[in-house]
Amino acid sequence: MYDIRKKIDFLRKELHNHNHRYYVEDSPVLTDLEFDKMLKELEKLEAENPQFFDPNSPTQRVGGSITKSFKSSSHRYPMYSLSNTYTKDELIKWEERIIKILGEDTPLSYSCELKFDGASINLLYQEGELVKALTRGDGLQGDEITNNIKTINTIPLKLKGEYPNFFEVRGEIILTTEDFNKMNLRRVERGEPIYSNPRNTASGSLKLQDSSQVARRPLKCFIYAVAGDELNLYDQFEVLKKAREWGFKVPNSARLVDSIEKVFEFIKYWDSERNKLDYDIDGVVIKVNSLSQQEKLGYTAKAPRWAIAYKYKAEQATTKLEGVHYQVGRTGAITPVARLKPILISGTLVKRASLHNSDQIEKLDLRLGDKVYVEKGGEIIPKITGVKEVQRGDLSNKIIFINKCPECNFPLKREKGEAQHYCKNETACPPQQIGKIQHFISRKALDIDGLGSETVSLFYNAGLISNIADLYRLDKEKIMPLEGMAEKSANNIINGIKKSLEKPFSKVLFGLGIRFVGETVAKKLAQVYKSIDKLVLATKEDLINTEEIGEKIAQSVIDYFSNKDNLDLIISLKSFGFKMESSTSQNSNHPAFYEKKFVVSGVFDAFSREEIIIEIERLGGISVTSISKKTDFLLAGRGIGPKKEIKAKSLKIPILSENDFNKLRKS
Ligand code: AMP
Ligand code: ZN
């Protein structure tokens, strides 16, 4: 007989292996298409057989869980800092202290490693399964971010080979320079302020509330240590080798050496080679190799005595600050950018440096003409790290952050708790207007055939459009006279615009570009509120009580609809023929279903899972994914997980069978 359980196990194992081949070994054997096909098959089987749920299945890597606040949890073994040094002398002294404790004749060898510059992570494995992931926090306790960590493909959810029963694996979560730069390019395109460096972006990513957002970030994990009571391991170099065998990513840069001179060679080698790495390091770490020697050496209050970090000075140069200009993004965020006297830093000509925000300018107390220190890490845009005091610019030339928008003169505003200033003239500030229209037509929003960002700028600059609604007032005669516009493309554009009127409500809602309303939130709002009219009327409390919507999003939606220009835009869009409601036209708003929240779980006879959800929504109900006090019914199919049932019972939520459901809808 065809055994579903076996098939599921087989697919999971295969997918874990292929994931490892792809992300850890960089030598995939399947094409992306083949991999996706296999994953889809597993997803389907798991959905149909919820009794075989596995929190570490490869399907769990896409994320989806929302954590509003992360639980803190103690480390079984503290996560120490490392003592730092910048000189060889100090390294020699460090070795002398070690010899003093261990004795003159003890043979010493060192594991020389790169010091990856990211966010540290502590991974707990039980019987080879990832059970918990903690941030370093204060070293004694960290935040539990397990669901977010599971989305990182270089972290095995199940270990290979032989491993200790219960132990911890420690590593660094990083973003490669290339991935980081790509993320920033996308932010520039969307008019959002850019991230300042890979390290902060990596550590910020780990604390996102929505794990599916984390899944979209190209985070990687490099392993450098383990901790546990029964490791059966004898030296650090063996630890690195074992970690590789268990399926972790451990860069091959580590070297085992037997003298401090060879440690110096390692340091020297990476001082020049580190620029060629695809990720940031902030130095190297030297560790006494033998674990029993490590134990004898022990720890100070803050750091192990058996390890030390040698830090490189960042590549720096000084040049003159010639000016500051301000960029305005689609959302109105203002980014100050320094104009520098061009200078060569590690092979690139640097003319601009990011100043991030007004606090940064204040902190540096910048003045025009200052000689400034410029540092270039892996980022595209270098940063100013300080002012050369002896060569200050003119004291009268203090840089005062602008208080009006450079593009539209509107007074700038900075909200409490935000670092960025904003131009709130959302509907009439040119870069914001262009950006909003560009967002509206973009692929994930209305995806208008034939129309691209450049054409939008062209139309805007020719005075043909100044907001989203104007797109629908265009006709062929208006755009034909524009330079380079052929009849065929003009036809395409006008047709594409006309066709976009049929796009679903959730896409239009996303296209409006309300701050914090991304694709997923737009879908949720469209699903719950059904029409723009209801959404406009929703109060802040209503919004906050909506699943997955927090205070920040709720406020932003309220702000958006309090602006008369935005309401006018919506009225116009409707008048052009946009329906602005979820397609539940045959919606019959059954009294037993209307606005009731259903959790659907298990397998049904007459419906697929999707079909039953569509039916609930058609009758006016709302489908939600997890059980809470606000749930009205648990619709339980065959093979529903016992946890869901227990939870529903404890909250006294009625449980409906497929039969009950059918009776209810016919009542
Ligand atoms: P620090 O934060 O400067 O005290 O340095 C300690 C941190 O360096 C650890 O928490 C790790 O996250 C990080 N680190 C990066 N690479 C290594 C490595 N090869 N060995 C040990 N720690 C490392
Ligand atoms: Zn403006």
Side-chain angles (χ1 to χ4, degrees), residues 69-107:
S69 69
F70 296 100
K71 223 168 70 187
S72 86
S73 175
S74 295
H75 294 295
R76 285 163 41 96
Y77 308 87
M79 292 185 83
Y80 287 94
S81 265
L82 288 170
S83 1
N84 285 330
T85 156
Y86 292 88
T87 64
K88 283 185 183 173
D89 267 358
E90 282 175 3
L91 269 180
I92 292 173
K93 285 195 188 119
W94 171 71
E95 187 180 52
E96 281 168 5
R97 284 197 298 275
I98 288 173
I99 293 176
K100 217 168 148 190
I101 298 174
L102 297 181
E104 284 286 341
D105 316 318
T106 325

Short mmCIF file of all heavy atoms in Angstrom, two decimals, residues 69-107:
data_model
loop_
_atom_site.label_atom_id
_atom_site.label_comp_id
_atom_site.label_asym_id
_atom_site.label_seq_id
_atom_site.Cartn_x
_atom_site.Cartn_y
_atom_site.Cartn_z
N SER A 69 5.92 40.22 20.66
CA SER A 69 7.09 40.55 21.48
C SER A 69 7.83 39.25 21.79
O SER A 69 7.22 38.22 22.05
CB SER A 69 6.67 41.26 22.76
OG SER A 69 6.00 40.35 23.58
N PHE A 70 9.16 39.31 21.73
CA PHE A 70 9.96 38.10 21.86
C PHE A 70 10.19 37.77 23.34
O PHE A 70 10.52 38.65 24.13
CB PHE A 70 11.29 38.27 21.13
CG PHE A 70 11.13 38.44 19.66
CD1 PHE A 70 11.17 39.69 19.08
CD2 PHE A 70 10.90 37.34 18.84
CE1 PHE A 70 11.00 39.86 17.72
CE2 PHE A 70 10.72 37.49 17.48
CZ PHE A 70 10.77 38.74 16.91
N LYS A 71 10.01 36.50 23.65
CA LYS A 71 10.19 36.05 25.04
C LYS A 71 11.68 36.01 25.35
O LYS A 71 12.48 35.60 24.51
CB LYS A 71 9.65 34.61 25.12
CG LYS A 71 8.83 34.37 26.35
CD LYS A 71 8.08 33.06 26.28
CE LYS A 71 8.97 31.84 26.37
NZ LYS A 71 8.27 30.59 26.15
N SER A 72 12.07 36.42 26.56
CA SER A 72 13.49 36.30 26.84
C SER A 72 13.73 35.00 27.60
O SER A 72 12.85 34.46 28.25
CB SER A 72 14.01 37.52 27.59
OG SER A 72 13.81 37.37 28.95
N SER A 73 14.93 34.48 27.44
CA SER A 73 15.22 33.15 27.97
C SER A 73 16.71 33.08 28.33
O SER A 73 17.54 33.70 27.66
CB SER A 73 14.86 32.15 26.86
OG SER A 73 15.21 30.85 27.19
N SER A 74 17.03 32.37 29.40
CA SER A 74 18.43 32.34 29.88
C SER A 74 19.29 31.43 29.02
O SER A 74 18.83 30.40 28.54
CB SER A 74 18.48 31.80 31.30
OG SER A 74 17.83 32.68 32.15
N HIS A 75 20.56 31.81 28.88
CA HIS A 75 21.52 30.92 28.21
C HIS A 75 21.99 29.88 29.23
O HIS A 75 22.30 30.24 30.37
CB HIS A 75 22.72 31.73 27.71
CG HIS A 75 22.38 32.69 26.63
ND1 HIS A 75 21.95 32.30 25.38
CD2 HIS A 75 22.41 34.05 26.60
CE1 HIS A 75 21.72 33.37 24.64
NE2 HIS A 75 21.99 34.45 25.35
N ARG A 76 22.07 28.63 28.82
CA ARG A 76 22.60 27.62 29.75
C ARG A 76 24.08 27.86 30.02
O ARG A 76 24.58 27.58 31.09
CB ARG A 76 22.38 26.22 29.16
CG ARG A 76 20.92 25.78 29.26
CD ARG A 76 20.64 24.63 28.32
NE ARG A 76 21.71 23.65 28.30
CZ ARG A 76 21.71 22.54 29.02
NH1 ARG A 76 20.72 22.27 29.83
NH2 ARG A 76 22.70 21.70 28.92
N TYR A 77 24.78 28.33 29.02
CA TYR A 77 26.17 28.74 29.18
C TYR A 77 26.24 30.19 28.71
O TYR A 77 25.74 30.48 27.62
CB TYR A 77 27.11 27.89 28.31
CG TYR A 77 26.91 26.42 28.52
CD1 TYR A 77 25.96 25.72 27.79
CD2 TYR A 77 27.65 25.74 29.48
CE1 TYR A 77 25.75 24.36 27.99
CE2 TYR A 77 27.44 24.38 29.69
CZ TYR A 77 26.49 23.70 28.94
OH TYR A 77 26.28 22.37 29.16
N PRO A 78 26.84 31.07 29.52
CA PRO A 78 26.82 32.49 29.13
C PRO A 78 27.46 32.70 27.75
O PRO A 78 28.30 31.92 27.33
CB PRO A 78 27.67 33.17 30.20
CG PRO A 78 27.82 32.19 31.30
CD PRO A 78 27.56 30.83 30.76
N MET A 79 27.02 33.76 27.06
CA MET A 79 27.66 34.12 25.80
C MET A 79 28.57 35.30 26.07
O MET A 79 28.11 36.43 26.25
CB MET A 79 26.61 34.47 24.75
CG MET A 79 25.79 33.27 24.33
SD MET A 79 24.66 33.66 22.99
CE MET A 79 25.73 33.52 21.54
N TYR A 80 29.86 35.01 26.14
CA TYR A 80 30.83 36.02 26.54
C TYR A 80 31.19 36.97 25.41
O TYR A 80 30.98 36.67 24.24
CB TYR A 80 32.11 35.35 27.03
CG TYR A 80 31.96 34.69 28.38
CD1 TYR A 80 31.64 33.34 28.47
CD2 TYR A 80 32.14 35.41 29.55
CE1 TYR A 80 31.50 32.72 29.71
CE2 TYR A 80 32.01 34.81 30.79
CZ TYR A 80 31.69 33.45 30.86
OH TYR A 80 31.56 32.85 32.07
N SER A 81 31.78 38.10 25.81
CA SER A 81 32.43 39.00 24.85
C SER A 81 33.83 38.46 24.57
O SER A 81 34.23 37.48 25.17
CB SER A 81 32.64 40.35 25.50
OG SER A 81 31.65 41.22 25.23
N LEU A 82 34.57 39.17 23.73
CA LEU A 82 35.98 38.83 23.53
C LEU A 82 36.81 40.04 23.93
O LEU A 82 36.40 41.17 23.68
CB LEU A 82 36.24 38.51 22.06
CG LEU A 82 35.69 37.19 21.53
CD1 LEU A 82 35.80 37.15 20.01
CD2 LEU A 82 36.45 36.02 22.15
N SER A 83 37.97 39.81 24.56
CA SER A 83 38.83 40.98 24.79
C SER A 83 39.46 41.35 23.45
O SER A 83 39.71 40.50 22.60
CB SER A 83 39.91 40.73 25.83
OG SER A 83 39.85 39.44 26.32
N ASN A 84 39.72 42.64 23.32
CA ASN A 84 40.22 43.17 22.05
C ASN A 84 41.67 43.59 22.14
O ASN A 84 42.10 44.03 23.19
CB ASN A 84 39.49 44.47 21.72
CG ASN A 84 38.10 44.19 21.25
OD1 ASN A 84 37.87 43.14 20.67
ND2 ASN A 84 37.20 45.10 21.51
N THR A 85 42.34 43.51 21.03
CA THR A 85 43.65 44.14 20.96
C THR A 85 43.87 44.67 19.55
O THR A 85 43.24 44.21 18.61
CB THR A 85 44.77 43.14 21.33
OG1 THR A 85 45.96 43.61 20.72
CG2 THR A 85 44.49 41.77 20.81
N TYR A 86 44.74 45.66 19.47
CA TYR A 86 45.06 46.23 18.15
C TYR A 86 46.55 46.06 17.82
O TYR A 86 46.99 46.46 16.78
CB TYR A 86 44.71 47.71 18.11
CG TYR A 86 43.21 47.98 18.16
CD1 TYR A 86 42.55 48.10 19.37
CD2 TYR A 86 42.49 48.10 16.98
CE1 TYR A 86 41.19 48.33 19.41
CE2 TYR A 86 41.13 48.33 17.01
CZ TYR A 86 40.47 48.44 18.23
OH TYR A 86 39.12 48.67 18.27
N THR A 87 47.31 45.50 18.77
CA THR A 87 48.76 45.46 18.55
C THR A 87 49.36 44.07 18.80
O THR A 87 48.81 43.27 19.56
CB THR A 87 49.50 46.44 19.50
OG1 THR A 87 49.28 45.98 20.84
CG2 THR A 87 48.99 47.86 19.36
N LYS A 88 50.50 43.85 18.18
CA LYS A 88 51.21 42.59 18.37
C LYS A 88 51.72 42.47 19.79
O LYS A 88 51.73 41.38 20.37
CB LYS A 88 52.41 42.54 17.41
CG LYS A 88 52.03 42.23 15.99
CD LYS A 88 53.29 42.07 15.17
CE LYS A 88 52.92 41.83 13.72
NZ LYS A 88 54.11 41.82 12.86
N ASP A 89 52.18 43.59 20.35
CA ASP A 89 52.69 43.58 21.72
C ASP A 89 51.69 42.99 22.69
O ASP A 89 52.03 42.17 23.54
CB ASP A 89 52.99 45.02 22.17
CG ASP A 89 54.43 45.37 21.90
OD1 ASP A 89 55.15 44.47 21.41
OD2 ASP A 89 54.82 46.52 22.19
N GLU A 90 50.45 43.44 22.53
CA GLU A 90 49.42 42.95 23.44
C GLU A 90 49.17 41.47 23.24
O GLU A 90 48.85 40.75 24.18
CB GLU A 90 48.12 43.74 23.23
CG GLU A 90 48.18 45.10 23.90
CD GLU A 90 46.95 45.95 23.59
OE1 GLU A 90 46.03 45.45 22.90
OE2 GLU A 90 46.93 47.09 24.03
N LEU A 91 49.30 41.02 22.00
CA LEU A 91 49.13 39.59 21.72
C LEU A 91 50.21 38.78 22.42
O LEU A 91 49.95 37.72 22.98
CB LEU A 91 49.21 39.34 20.22
CG LEU A 91 47.89 39.39 19.46
CD1 LEU A 91 48.15 39.12 17.98
CD2 LEU A 91 46.93 38.34 20.00
N ILE A 92 51.43 39.30 22.38
CA ILE A 92 52.54 38.60 23.03
C ILE A 92 52.28 38.53 24.55
O ILE A 92 52.47 37.49 25.18
CB ILE A 92 53.88 39.30 22.71
CG1 ILE A 92 54.18 39.09 21.22
CG2 ILE A 92 55.01 38.77 23.58
CD1 ILE A 92 55.37 39.86 20.69
N LYS A 93 51.78 39.63 25.09
CA LYS A 93 51.47 39.65 26.53
C LYS A 93 50.36 38.65 26.85
O LYS A 93 50.38 37.99 27.89
CB LYS A 93 51.05 41.06 26.95
CG LYS A 93 52.22 41.99 27.05
CD LYS A 93 51.86 43.25 27.81
CE LYS A 93 52.98 44.25 27.72
NZ LYS A 93 52.57 45.51 27.07
N TRP A 94 49.41 38.56 25.95
CA TRP A 94 48.30 37.60 26.15
C TRP A 94 48.87 36.18 26.24
O TRP A 94 48.53 35.41 27.13
CB TRP A 94 47.31 37.75 24.99
CG TRP A 94 46.23 36.71 24.92
CD1 TRP A 94 45.17 36.59 25.78
CD2 TRP A 94 46.09 35.66 23.96
NE1 TRP A 94 44.38 35.54 25.41
CE2 TRP A 94 44.92 34.94 24.29
CE3 TRP A 94 46.84 35.25 22.85
CZ2 TRP A 94 44.48 33.84 23.55
CZ3 TRP A 94 46.39 34.16 22.11
CH2 TRP A 94 45.23 33.46 22.46
N GLU A 95 49.80 35.88 25.32
CA GLU A 95 50.38 34.53 25.34
C GLU A 95 51.18 34.30 26.62
O GLU A 95 51.13 33.22 27.21
CB GLU A 95 51.28 34.31 24.12
CG GLU A 95 51.75 32.86 24.06
CD GLU A 95 52.65 32.54 22.88
OE1 GLU A 95 53.65 33.27 22.70
OE2 GLU A 95 52.36 31.58 22.15
N GLU A 96 51.87 35.34 27.07
CA GLU A 96 52.65 35.20 28.30
C GLU A 96 51.74 34.86 29.50
O GLU A 96 52.07 33.99 30.31
CB GLU A 96 53.41 36.50 28.61
CG GLU A 96 54.67 36.65 27.75
CD GLU A 96 55.26 38.05 27.82
OE1 GLU A 96 54.77 38.90 28.60
OE2 GLU A 96 56.23 38.29 27.06
N ARG A 97 50.58 35.51 29.54
CA ARG A 97 49.64 35.23 30.64
C ARG A 97 49.17 33.78 30.59
O ARG A 97 49.04 33.10 31.60
CB ARG A 97 48.43 36.17 30.56
CG ARG A 97 48.72 37.58 31.04
CD ARG A 97 47.43 38.34 31.33
NE ARG A 97 46.58 38.52 30.14
CZ ARG A 97 46.73 39.53 29.26
NH1 ARG A 97 47.69 40.42 29.42
NH2 ARG A 97 45.91 39.63 28.23
N ILE A 98 48.96 33.30 29.37
CA ILE A 98 48.52 31.91 29.20
C ILE A 98 49.58 30.93 29.67
O ILE A 98 49.31 29.99 30.42
CB ILE A 98 48.17 31.66 27.71
CG1 ILE A 98 46.86 32.39 27.39
CG2 ILE A 98 48.02 30.18 27.42
CD1 ILE A 98 46.52 32.36 25.93
N ILE A 99 50.81 31.20 29.25
CA ILE A 99 51.90 30.30 29.63
C ILE A 99 52.08 30.29 31.15
O ILE A 99 52.34 29.25 31.75
CB ILE A 99 53.21 30.71 28.90
CG1 ILE A 99 53.02 30.46 27.40
CG2 ILE A 99 54.41 29.95 29.44
CD1 ILE A 99 54.17 30.92 26.54
N LYS A 100 51.87 31.44 31.76
CA LYS A 100 52.00 31.54 33.21
C LYS A 100 50.99 30.62 33.90
O LYS A 100 51.30 29.98 34.90
CB LYS A 100 51.75 32.99 33.63
CG LYS A 100 52.63 33.42 34.78
CD LYS A 100 52.54 34.91 34.95
CE LYS A 100 52.70 35.27 36.41
NZ LYS A 100 52.39 36.67 36.62
N ILE A 101 49.80 30.55 33.36
CA ILE A 101 48.78 29.70 33.98
C ILE A 101 48.99 28.22 33.65
O ILE A 101 48.90 27.35 34.50
CB ILE A 101 47.36 30.13 33.54
CG1 ILE A 101 47.09 31.57 34.00
CG2 ILE A 101 46.30 29.19 34.12
CD1 ILE A 101 45.79 32.15 33.50
N LEU A 102 49.33 27.94 32.40
CA LEU A 102 49.42 26.54 31.97
C LEU A 102 50.79 25.91 32.23
O LEU A 102 50.93 24.69 32.22
CB LEU A 102 49.09 26.40 30.48
CG LEU A 102 47.68 26.81 30.06
CD1 LEU A 102 47.51 26.60 28.56
CD2 LEU A 102 46.62 26.00 30.80
N GLY A 103 51.80 26.75 32.42
CA GLY A 103 53.14 26.22 32.64
C GLY A 103 54.00 26.30 31.39
O GLY A 103 53.49 26.16 30.27
N GLU A 104 55.31 26.50 31.61
CA GLU A 104 56.29 26.72 30.55
C GLU A 104 56.27 25.64 29.45
O GLU A 104 56.35 25.94 28.27
CB GLU A 104 57.71 26.75 31.14
CG GLU A 104 58.06 28.04 31.86
CD GLU A 104 58.32 29.18 30.89
OE1 GLU A 104 58.58 28.90 29.70
OE2 GLU A 104 58.25 30.36 31.33
N ASP A 105 56.19 24.38 29.86
CA ASP A 105 56.41 23.31 28.89
C ASP A 105 55.15 22.84 28.18
O ASP A 105 55.21 21.91 27.37
CB ASP A 105 57.04 22.09 29.58
CG ASP A 105 58.14 22.52 30.51
OD1 ASP A 105 58.90 23.42 30.11
OD2 ASP A 105 58.20 21.98 31.64
N THR A 106 54.01 23.45 28.52
CA THR A 106 52.78 22.98 27.88
C THR A 106 52.79 23.33 26.39
O THR A 106 53.00 24.49 26.05
CB THR A 106 51.55 23.66 28.52
OG1 THR A 106 51.83 23.83 29.90
CG2 THR A 106 50.29 22.87 28.29
N PRO A 107 52.58 22.34 25.53
CA PRO A 107 52.52 22.67 24.10
C PRO A 107 51.25 23.47 23.80
O PRO A 107 50.19 23.17 24.33
CB PRO A 107 52.47 21.30 23.42
CG PRO A 107 51.97 20.36 24.46
CD PRO A 107 52.35 20.92 25.80
#
